[in-house]
Amino acid sequence: MIVAAHERFVSGRPGGKRASLRYVDISDCVLSGRNLADADISASILDGGKLVGTKLDRATLFGSDLRKADLTGASLVRADLRGACLRGANLTQADLTQADFRIGQVAVPHPVKGLSATSHEHRHGQLDAAVFAGATLDESQMEDVTAFAADFTDCSMKGAKLSRANFKDANLSGVIFDGAEVGGANFEGANLSYAVMTDVDLRGVRTSSTTDQTGLIATPTPEAIARAPQLLAMLQANHLWCQTGGREGQPANLDGEDLRPLHGKLRGLRLSACSMKGAIMVGLDLTGAQMQGANLEGADLRGACFADSDLRGIRLGQANLVRADLRDAVFAPLPISADRTTPGNLTNAQIRFAHAEGCDLTGAVLDGADLRGADFTGAYLENASFKDAQLQAVVGLEEPRARRIQFI
Protein backbone atom coordinates (compact mmCIF):
# COMPACT_ATOMS: atom_id res chain seq x y z
CA MET A 1 0.00 0.00 0.00
CA ILE A 2 2.85 2.38 0.84
CA VAL A 3 4.59 1.68 -2.48
CA ALA A 4 1.37 2.07 -4.46
CA ALA A 5 0.65 5.40 -2.75
CA HIS A 6 4.20 6.52 -3.54
CA GLU A 7 3.77 5.66 -7.21
CA ARG A 8 0.64 7.80 -7.28
CA PHE A 9 2.66 10.56 -5.60
CA VAL A 10 5.49 10.57 -8.17
CA SER A 11 3.03 10.48 -11.07
CA GLY A 12 0.91 13.31 -9.63
CA ARG A 13 -2.23 11.21 -9.24
CA PRO A 14 -4.76 11.72 -6.42
CA GLY A 15 -4.20 9.86 -3.16
CA GLY A 16 -0.45 9.88 -3.48
CA LYS A 17 1.99 10.10 -0.59
CA ARG A 18 5.77 9.96 -0.50
CA ALA A 19 7.00 6.64 0.90
CA SER A 20 8.77 6.68 4.25
CA LEU A 21 10.23 3.27 4.99
CA ARG A 22 12.85 4.22 7.56
CA TYR A 23 14.25 1.69 10.04
CA VAL A 24 12.08 -1.16 8.73
CA ASP A 25 13.03 -4.75 8.01
CA ILE A 26 11.78 -5.74 4.56
CA SER A 27 14.29 -8.50 3.90
CA ASP A 28 13.60 -10.57 0.78
CA CYS A 29 11.05 -7.99 -0.41
CA VAL A 30 9.87 -8.18 -4.05
CA LEU A 31 9.78 -4.69 -5.50
CA SER A 32 11.04 -5.36 -9.03
CA GLY A 33 9.89 -2.84 -11.60
CA ARG A 34 8.32 -0.50 -9.04
CA ASN A 35 8.85 3.26 -8.92
CA LEU A 36 10.42 4.37 -5.65
CA ALA A 37 12.09 7.51 -6.96
CA ASP A 38 12.63 10.05 -4.16
CA ALA A 39 11.49 7.55 -1.50
CA ASP A 40 13.05 7.61 1.99
CA ILE A 41 14.37 4.13 2.83
CA SER A 42 17.02 5.22 5.34
CA ALA A 43 18.65 2.64 7.62
CA SER A 44 16.30 -0.13 6.52
CA ILE A 45 17.05 -3.78 5.83
CA LEU A 46 16.46 -4.99 2.27
CA ASP A 47 18.77 -7.97 2.57
CA GLY A 48 18.14 -10.33 -0.38
CA GLY A 49 15.48 -8.06 -1.84
CA LYS A 50 14.35 -8.35 -5.47
CA LEU A 51 14.60 -4.89 -7.03
CA VAL A 52 15.24 -5.75 -10.67
CA GLY A 53 14.64 -2.70 -12.81
CA THR A 54 13.33 -0.73 -9.83
CA LYS A 55 13.43 3.04 -10.16
CA LEU A 56 15.25 4.51 -7.15
CA ASP A 57 16.43 7.82 -8.58
CA ARG A 58 17.26 10.32 -5.81
CA ALA A 59 16.03 7.81 -3.23
CA THR A 60 17.50 8.03 0.27
CA LEU A 61 19.09 4.68 1.13
CA PHE A 62 21.39 6.17 3.76
CA GLY A 63 22.80 3.39 5.96
CA SER A 64 20.54 0.74 4.45
CA ASP A 65 21.41 -2.95 4.32
CA LEU A 66 21.19 -4.20 0.72
CA ARG A 67 23.36 -7.27 1.07
CA LYS A 68 22.76 -9.81 -1.71
CA ALA A 69 19.93 -7.69 -3.10
CA ASP A 70 19.20 -8.08 -6.83
CA LEU A 71 19.28 -4.60 -8.36
CA THR A 72 19.95 -5.72 -11.94
CA GLY A 73 19.08 -2.90 -14.33
CA ALA A 74 17.85 -0.67 -11.50
CA SER A 75 18.06 3.11 -11.80
CA LEU A 76 19.71 4.82 -8.84
CA VAL A 77 20.63 8.14 -10.41
CA ARG A 78 21.77 10.54 -7.66
CA ALA A 79 20.68 8.06 -4.99
CA ASP A 80 21.96 8.64 -1.45
CA LEU A 81 23.82 5.44 -0.56
CA ARG A 82 26.10 6.90 2.10
CA GLY A 83 27.10 4.23 4.57
CA ALA A 84 24.97 1.63 2.78
CA CYS A 85 26.01 -2.02 2.69
CA LEU A 86 25.88 -3.66 -0.75
CA ARG A 87 28.03 -6.71 -0.06
CA GLY A 88 27.32 -9.41 -2.61
CA ALA A 89 24.56 -7.38 -4.26
CA ASN A 90 23.93 -7.66 -7.99
CA LEU A 91 23.89 -4.28 -9.75
CA THR A 92 24.59 -5.52 -13.27
CA GLN A 93 23.77 -2.74 -15.78
CA ALA A 94 22.39 -0.50 -13.03
CA ASP A 95 22.49 3.26 -13.57
CA LEU A 96 24.26 4.85 -10.59
CA THR A 97 25.14 8.16 -12.21
CA GLN A 98 26.09 10.69 -9.50
CA ALA A 99 25.20 8.22 -6.75
CA ASP A 100 26.71 9.00 -3.33
CA PHE A 101 28.57 6.14 -1.59
CA ARG A 102 30.58 8.26 0.87
CA ILE A 103 31.01 7.66 4.61
CA GLY A 104 27.78 8.11 6.51
CA GLN A 105 27.06 8.56 10.21
CA VAL A 106 24.43 5.99 11.08
CA ALA A 107 22.22 5.97 14.18
CA VAL A 108 22.13 2.42 15.56
CA PRO A 109 19.07 1.58 17.72
CA HIS A 110 19.74 0.08 21.16
CA PRO A 111 19.15 -3.71 21.06
CA VAL A 112 16.64 -3.46 23.96
CA LYS A 113 15.51 0.17 24.19
CA GLY A 114 15.22 0.64 20.42
CA LEU A 115 15.17 4.13 18.95
CA SER A 116 14.82 5.78 22.37
CA ALA A 117 18.53 5.11 22.97
CA THR A 118 20.70 5.15 19.89
CA SER A 119 24.43 5.21 19.30
CA HIS A 120 26.15 6.71 16.27
CA GLU A 121 28.85 5.16 14.13
CA HIS A 122 30.59 6.10 10.90
CA ARG A 123 30.21 3.57 8.10
CA HIS A 124 32.07 3.35 4.83
CA GLY A 125 30.23 2.40 1.67
CA GLN A 126 30.57 -1.41 1.61
CA LEU A 127 30.63 -2.92 -1.88
CA ASP A 128 32.71 -6.04 -1.22
CA ALA A 129 31.98 -8.88 -3.68
CA ALA A 130 29.19 -6.86 -5.31
CA VAL A 131 28.63 -7.18 -9.08
CA PHE A 132 28.52 -3.95 -11.12
CA ALA A 133 29.18 -5.46 -14.56
CA GLY A 134 28.13 -3.02 -17.27
CA ALA A 135 26.87 -0.49 -14.72
CA THR A 136 27.11 3.28 -15.08
CA LEU A 137 28.86 5.05 -12.20
CA ASP A 138 29.70 8.33 -13.94
CA GLU A 139 30.40 11.20 -11.52
CA SER A 140 29.57 8.98 -8.56
CA GLN A 141 31.07 9.80 -5.17
CA MET A 142 32.92 6.72 -3.96
CA GLU A 143 35.60 8.17 -1.72
CA ASP A 144 36.76 5.71 0.95
CA VAL A 145 34.45 2.88 -0.17
CA THR A 146 35.58 -0.68 0.27
CA ALA A 147 35.04 -2.79 -2.85
CA PHE A 148 37.21 -5.82 -2.13
CA ALA A 149 36.85 -8.48 -4.86
CA ALA A 150 33.93 -6.61 -6.45
CA ASP A 151 33.20 -7.04 -10.17
CA PHE A 152 33.16 -3.78 -12.17
CA THR A 153 33.73 -5.35 -15.60
CA ASP A 154 32.94 -2.93 -18.46
CA CYS A 155 31.68 -0.21 -16.10
CA SER A 156 31.73 3.47 -16.91
CA MET A 157 33.25 5.57 -14.10
CA LYS A 158 33.82 8.80 -15.99
CA GLY A 159 34.50 11.65 -13.60
CA ALA A 160 33.93 9.45 -10.55
CA LYS A 161 35.54 10.41 -7.24
CA LEU A 162 37.42 7.31 -6.09
CA SER A 163 40.00 8.78 -3.72
CA ARG A 164 41.19 6.30 -1.05
CA ALA A 165 38.76 3.64 -2.30
CA ASN A 166 39.80 0.03 -1.70
CA PHE A 167 39.63 -2.00 -4.92
CA LYS A 168 41.94 -4.76 -3.72
CA ASP A 169 41.45 -7.91 -5.86
CA ALA A 170 38.55 -6.26 -7.71
CA ASN A 171 37.82 -6.95 -11.38
CA LEU A 172 38.05 -3.60 -13.17
CA SER A 173 38.65 -5.02 -16.61
CA GLY A 174 37.54 -2.66 -19.37
CA VAL A 175 36.39 0.07 -16.98
CA ILE A 176 36.36 3.58 -18.45
CA PHE A 177 37.87 5.88 -15.79
CA ASP A 178 38.13 9.02 -17.95
CA GLY A 179 38.61 12.06 -15.72
CA ALA A 180 38.21 10.07 -12.49
CA GLU A 181 39.95 11.05 -9.24
CA VAL A 182 41.87 8.05 -7.91
CA GLY A 183 44.38 9.58 -5.48
CA GLY A 184 45.22 7.13 -2.70
CA ALA A 185 43.08 4.34 -4.17
CA ASN A 186 44.19 0.75 -3.58
CA PHE A 187 44.43 -1.39 -6.73
CA GLU A 188 46.60 -4.14 -5.25
CA GLY A 189 45.80 -7.44 -6.95
CA ALA A 190 43.10 -5.78 -9.08
CA ASN A 191 42.44 -6.60 -12.71
CA LEU A 192 42.87 -3.34 -14.65
CA SER A 193 43.33 -5.00 -18.02
CA TYR A 194 42.16 -2.84 -20.93
CA ALA A 195 40.90 -0.12 -18.58
CA VAL A 196 40.78 3.39 -20.04
CA MET A 197 42.41 6.07 -17.89
CA THR A 198 42.34 9.23 -20.00
CA ASP A 199 43.10 12.35 -17.95
CA VAL A 200 43.60 10.31 -14.77
CA ASP A 201 46.38 11.25 -12.33
CA LEU A 202 47.82 7.96 -11.08
CA ARG A 203 50.20 9.49 -8.56
CA GLY A 204 49.60 8.07 -5.09
CA VAL A 205 47.74 5.01 -6.40
CA ARG A 206 48.66 1.71 -4.75
CA THR A 207 49.37 -1.25 -7.03
CA SER A 208 51.24 -4.52 -6.59
CA SER A 209 53.02 -7.11 -8.67
CA THR A 210 49.69 -8.91 -9.08
CA THR A 211 47.85 -5.86 -10.48
CA ASP A 212 47.00 -6.75 -14.09
CA GLN A 213 47.53 -3.69 -16.30
CA THR A 214 47.55 -5.53 -19.63
CA GLY A 215 46.36 -3.28 -22.45
CA LEU A 216 45.61 -0.37 -20.13
CA ILE A 217 44.94 2.78 -22.19
CA ALA A 218 46.29 6.00 -20.70
CA THR A 219 45.98 9.64 -21.78
CA PRO A 220 46.91 10.23 -25.46
CA THR A 221 50.60 10.87 -25.87
CA PRO A 222 51.86 14.35 -26.85
CA GLU A 223 52.74 12.84 -30.23
CA ALA A 224 49.15 11.65 -30.76
CA ILE A 225 47.80 15.06 -29.78
CA ALA A 226 50.22 16.81 -32.15
CA ARG A 227 49.24 14.45 -34.97
CA ALA A 228 45.50 15.10 -34.57
CA PRO A 229 45.28 18.02 -37.07
CA GLN A 230 46.94 15.87 -39.75
CA LEU A 231 44.55 12.98 -39.10
CA LEU A 232 41.56 15.33 -39.24
CA ALA A 233 42.79 16.68 -42.59
CA MET A 234 42.96 13.11 -43.93
CA LEU A 235 39.39 12.44 -42.79
CA GLN A 236 38.18 15.69 -44.32
CA ALA A 237 39.86 14.63 -47.60
CA ASN A 238 37.86 11.39 -47.36
CA HIS A 239 34.71 13.46 -46.87
CA LEU A 240 35.58 15.53 -49.97
CA TRP A 241 36.26 12.34 -51.96
CA CYS A 242 32.74 11.15 -51.15
CA GLN A 243 31.18 14.52 -51.91
CA THR A 244 32.83 14.83 -55.33
CA GLY A 245 32.38 11.24 -56.42
CA GLY A 246 36.11 10.60 -56.29
CA ARG A 247 37.21 13.65 -58.30
CA GLU A 248 38.91 15.27 -55.31
CA GLY A 249 40.37 13.98 -52.06
CA GLN A 250 41.03 10.32 -51.30
CA PRO A 251 40.01 7.55 -48.88
CA ALA A 252 41.82 7.88 -45.54
CA ASN A 253 44.05 5.22 -44.01
CA LEU A 254 44.35 5.66 -40.23
CA ASP A 255 45.15 2.09 -39.24
CA GLY A 256 46.39 1.86 -35.65
CA GLU A 257 46.07 5.59 -34.97
CA ASP A 258 44.86 7.13 -31.69
CA LEU A 259 41.89 9.25 -32.75
CA ARG A 260 40.71 10.26 -29.28
CA PRO A 261 42.11 13.81 -29.58
CA LEU A 262 39.58 14.42 -32.39
CA HIS A 263 36.71 14.19 -29.86
CA GLY A 264 33.46 15.19 -31.64
CA LYS A 265 34.98 16.40 -34.92
CA LEU A 266 33.84 13.30 -36.82
CA ARG A 267 30.11 13.90 -36.44
CA GLY A 268 28.32 13.70 -39.76
CA LEU A 269 31.47 13.17 -41.87
CA ARG A 270 31.32 11.05 -45.01
CA LEU A 271 33.97 8.40 -44.45
CA SER A 272 33.00 5.69 -46.93
CA ALA A 273 35.81 3.23 -47.74
CA CYS A 274 38.13 4.62 -45.05
CA SER A 275 40.40 2.25 -43.13
CA MET A 276 40.81 2.50 -39.35
CA LYS A 277 41.89 -1.03 -38.52
CA GLY A 278 43.08 -1.33 -34.92
CA ALA A 279 42.52 2.37 -34.25
CA ILE A 280 41.87 3.69 -30.74
CA MET A 281 38.48 5.40 -30.94
CA VAL A 282 37.20 5.09 -27.37
CA GLY A 283 34.32 7.47 -26.71
CA LEU A 284 34.38 9.15 -30.12
CA ASP A 285 31.20 10.82 -31.37
CA LEU A 286 30.40 9.55 -34.89
CA THR A 287 26.72 10.50 -34.81
CA GLY A 288 25.30 10.64 -38.32
CA ALA A 289 28.56 9.60 -39.98
CA GLN A 290 28.45 7.80 -43.33
CA MET A 291 30.90 4.91 -43.22
CA GLN A 292 29.67 2.59 -45.94
CA GLY A 293 32.23 -0.11 -46.68
CA ALA A 294 34.68 1.23 -44.07
CA ASN A 295 37.17 -1.13 -42.44
CA LEU A 296 37.32 -0.85 -38.63
CA GLU A 297 38.42 -4.40 -37.88
CA GLY A 298 39.95 -4.71 -34.43
CA ALA A 299 39.29 -1.05 -33.59
CA ASP A 300 38.65 -0.03 -29.96
CA LEU A 301 35.25 1.67 -30.10
CA ARG A 302 34.16 1.32 -26.48
CA GLY A 303 31.54 3.92 -25.62
CA ALA A 304 31.64 5.36 -29.14
CA CYS A 305 28.44 6.86 -30.56
CA PHE A 306 27.24 5.70 -33.98
CA ALA A 307 23.64 6.86 -33.53
CA ASP A 308 21.85 7.48 -36.86
CA SER A 309 25.01 6.51 -38.80
CA ASP A 310 25.03 4.77 -42.19
CA LEU A 311 27.24 1.73 -41.67
CA ARG A 312 26.12 -0.43 -44.58
CA GLY A 313 28.73 -3.00 -45.49
CA ILE A 314 31.05 -1.93 -42.66
CA ARG A 315 33.74 -4.33 -41.45
CA LEU A 316 33.87 -4.52 -37.65
CA GLY A 317 35.27 -8.00 -37.16
CA GLN A 318 36.91 -8.37 -33.71
CA ALA A 319 36.18 -4.71 -32.94
CA ASN A 320 35.44 -3.66 -29.36
CA LEU A 321 32.00 -2.00 -29.23
CA VAL A 322 31.32 -2.52 -25.52
CA ARG A 323 28.84 0.13 -24.29
CA ALA A 324 28.70 1.68 -27.78
CA ASP A 325 25.63 3.66 -28.87
CA LEU A 326 24.31 2.03 -32.06
CA ARG A 327 20.77 3.37 -31.87
CA ASP A 328 19.11 3.71 -35.29
CA ALA A 329 22.40 2.94 -37.07
CA VAL A 330 22.13 1.03 -40.37
CA PHE A 331 24.25 -2.11 -40.89
CA ALA A 332 22.20 -3.44 -43.84
CA PRO A 333 23.92 -4.87 -46.97
CA LEU A 334 25.74 -2.36 -49.18
CA PRO A 335 25.05 -2.67 -52.95
CA ILE A 336 28.36 -2.93 -54.83
CA SER A 337 27.00 -3.87 -58.27
CA ALA A 338 23.70 -4.60 -59.96
CA ASP A 339 23.56 -8.08 -58.47
CA ARG A 340 26.02 -8.05 -55.55
CA THR A 341 25.90 -6.72 -52.00
CA THR A 342 28.21 -6.92 -49.02
CA PRO A 343 26.71 -7.31 -45.53
CA GLY A 344 27.71 -5.53 -42.35
CA ASN A 345 30.30 -7.78 -40.74
CA LEU A 346 30.61 -7.86 -36.93
CA THR A 347 32.13 -11.35 -36.66
CA ASN A 348 33.69 -11.97 -33.22
CA ALA A 349 33.06 -8.35 -32.20
CA GLN A 350 32.58 -7.45 -28.54
CA ILE A 351 29.22 -5.69 -28.26
CA ARG A 352 28.46 -6.23 -24.58
CA PHE A 353 26.02 -3.78 -22.96
CA ALA A 354 25.65 -1.84 -26.23
CA HIS A 355 22.55 0.25 -26.98
CA ALA A 356 21.31 -0.98 -30.35
CA GLU A 357 17.65 0.03 -30.10
CA GLY A 358 16.06 0.61 -33.49
CA CYS A 359 19.20 -0.21 -35.49
CA ASP A 360 18.97 -2.01 -38.84
CA LEU A 361 21.01 -5.23 -38.79
CA THR A 362 19.23 -6.80 -41.74
CA GLY A 363 21.48 -9.52 -43.13
CA ALA A 364 24.35 -8.57 -40.82
CA VAL A 365 26.86 -11.21 -39.73
CA LEU A 366 27.40 -11.35 -35.96
CA ASP A 367 28.82 -14.86 -35.80
CA GLY A 368 30.85 -15.43 -32.63
CA ALA A 369 30.06 -11.94 -31.34
CA ASP A 370 29.77 -11.28 -27.60
CA LEU A 371 26.37 -9.59 -27.23
CA ARG A 372 25.78 -10.14 -23.52
CA GLY A 373 23.54 -7.47 -22.03
CA ALA A 374 23.01 -5.64 -25.34
CA ASP A 375 19.62 -4.06 -26.08
CA PHE A 376 18.12 -4.67 -29.53
CA THR A 377 14.62 -3.40 -28.73
CA GLY A 378 12.90 -2.38 -31.95
CA ALA A 379 15.87 -3.43 -34.10
CA TYR A 380 15.51 -4.90 -37.60
CA LEU A 381 17.24 -8.28 -37.52
CA GLU A 382 15.79 -10.17 -40.46
CA ASN A 383 18.26 -12.69 -41.91
CA ALA A 384 20.94 -11.59 -39.45
CA SER A 385 23.33 -14.38 -38.47
CA PHE A 386 24.14 -15.02 -34.81
CA LYS A 387 26.00 -18.34 -35.09
CA ASP A 388 27.97 -19.13 -31.92
CA ALA A 389 27.19 -15.66 -30.54
CA GLN A 390 26.95 -15.11 -26.77
CA LEU A 391 23.38 -13.99 -26.13
CA GLN A 392 22.98 -14.07 -22.34
CA ALA A 393 20.71 -11.28 -21.05
CA VAL A 394 20.23 -9.85 -24.56
CA VAL A 395 17.03 -7.81 -24.93
CA GLY A 396 14.85 -7.59 -28.05
CA LEU A 397 15.66 -10.77 -30.00
CA GLU A 398 12.16 -12.16 -29.52
CA GLU A 399 10.33 -9.18 -31.04
CA PRO A 400 8.42 -9.43 -34.36
CA ARG A 401 11.14 -7.48 -36.19
CA ALA A 402 13.66 -10.14 -35.21
CA ARG A 403 12.07 -12.91 -37.30
CA ARG A 404 14.21 -15.26 -39.38
CA ILE A 405 17.35 -14.80 -37.31
CA GLN A 406 19.96 -17.49 -37.97
CA PHE A 407 21.34 -18.89 -34.71
CA ILE A 408 22.86 -22.19 -35.86
Side-chain angles (χ1 to χ4, degrees):
M1 291 173 62
I2 291 171
V3 173
H6 182 81
E7 289 176 326
R8 289 194 294 271
F9 167 75
V10 295
S11 63
R13 290 178 290 160
K17 183 180 180 181
R18 185 188 180 203
S20 179
L21 292 164
R22 305 176 67 210
Y23 291 100
V24 296
D25 185 347
I26 46 176
S27 300
D28 300 313
C29 60
V30 179
L31 295 168
S32 294
R34 305 303 295 266
N35 189 345
L36 285 164
D38 298 295
D40 186 354
I41 318 177
S42 303
S44 291
I45 301 174
L46 294 89
D47 189 352
K50 305 297 182 186
L51 297 113
V52 177
T54 302
K55 192 174 181 65
L56 289 156
D57 296 341
R58 300 170 304 280
T60 302
L61 291 153
F62 187 102
S64 288
D65 185 348
L66 289 150
R67 281 177 290 185
K68 297 183 180 179
D70 189 350
L71 289 146
T72 302
S75 182
L76 294 111
V77 175
R78 297 177 61 189
D80 185 351
L81 290 155
R82 287 175 295 164
C85 180
L86 287 155
R87 289 179 188 159
N90 187 352
L91 293 107
T92 300
Q93 286 187 276
D95 188 350
L96 293 137
T97 301
Q98 296 185 343
D100 191 349
F101 293 90
R102 292 175 298 169
I103 295 173
Q105 181 173 287
V106 181
V108 181
H110 190 275
V112 177
K113 299 179 181 179
L115 291 173
S116 61
T118 59
S119 60
H120 294 81
E121 60 182 54
H122 287 85
R123 290 185 184 173
H124 295 261
Q126 300 174 54
L127 315 179
D128 298 339
V131 178
F132 289 87
T136 300
L137 288 151
D138 295 345
E139 299 182 35
S140 58
Q141 295 178 273
M142 301 177 69
E143 297 100 322
D144 300 293
V145 300
T146 171
F148 173 76
D151 183 358
F152 292 93
T153 306
D154 297 325
C155 274
S156 179
M157 292 188 182
K158 296 178 184 177
K161 293 178 172 58
L162 310 171
S163 300
R164 302 173 303 282
N166 181 13
F167 292 108
K168 183 176 173 59
D169 295 338
N171 187 349
L172 297 152
S173 176
V175 172
I176 298 176
F177 288 100
D178 290 357
E181 298 177 11
V182 297
N186 181 8
F187 292 110
E188 294 177 349
N191 181 359
L192 285 165
S193 60
Y194 303 99
V196 181
M197 290 192 164
T198 306
D199 297 325
V200 177
D201 186 351
L202 296 174
R203 289 176 296 183
V205 168
R206 293 165 57 190
T207 59
S208 66
S209 59
T210 55
T211 301
D212 186 352
Q213 301 184 57
T214 305
L216 187 146
I217 298 177
T219 299
T221 63
E223 293 77 14
I225 295 171
R227 186 165 164 72
Q230 180 183 351
L231 299 181
L232 181 58
M234 294 169 66
L235 293 168
Q236 290 171 334
N238 199 136
H239 180 84
L240 181 62
W241 180 76
C242 295
Q243 276 189 322
T244 63
R247 294 187 299 276
E248 299 178 51
Q250 62 182 353
N253 186 328
L254 290 86
D255 294 351
E257 297 282 1
D258 188 345
L259 304 180
R260 289 177 294 162
L262 298 180
H263 300 296
K265 295 179 181 178
L266 308 186
R267 287 176 61 99
L269 285 184
R270 299 180 68 172
L271 302 173
S272 301
C274 70
S275 182
M276 300 179 181
K277 293 188 292 184
I280 301 175
M281 304 171 70
V282 178
L284 285 190
D285 187 353
L286 290 145
T287 302
Q290 297 185 39
M291 304 185 74
Q292 304 94 326
N295 188 346
L296 279 76
E297 292 176 347
D300 192 341
L301 294 152
R302 282 176 287 171
C305 181
F306 286 96
D308 299 308
S309 294
D310 187 343
L311 308 176
R312 287 175 294 166
I314 196 168
R315 295 161 66 181
L316 285 162
Q318 297 184 321
N320 191 339
L321 290 150
V322 173
R323 301 184 66 89
D325 186 349
L326 309 175
R327 285 176 284 196
D328 298 315
V330 180
F331 294 86
L334 175 69
I336 55 177
S337 68
D339 56 353
R340 292 179 58 202
T341 62
T342 182
N345 190 334
L346 294 96
T347 303
N348 296 321
Q350 298 180 54
I351 316 177
R352 295 185 300 278
F353 310 119
H355 285 281
E357 297 96 314
C359 72
D360 187 350
L361 283 159
T362 302
V365 180
L366 295 101
D367 296 349
D370 186 349
L371 303 166
R372 288 174 291 172
D375 189 346
F376 291 97
T377 301
Y380 294 86
L381 301 167
E382 188 170 1
N383 294 324
S385 177
F386 289 82
K387 296 176 184 176
D388 300 319
Q390 297 184 58
L391 303 171
Q392 296 92 323
V394 172
V395 178
L397 295 187
E398 303 302 322
E399 295 187 347
R401 287 180 178 176
R403 290 194 298 267
R404 297 175 64 186
I405 296 176
Q406 301 177 40
F407 289 102
I408 300 175

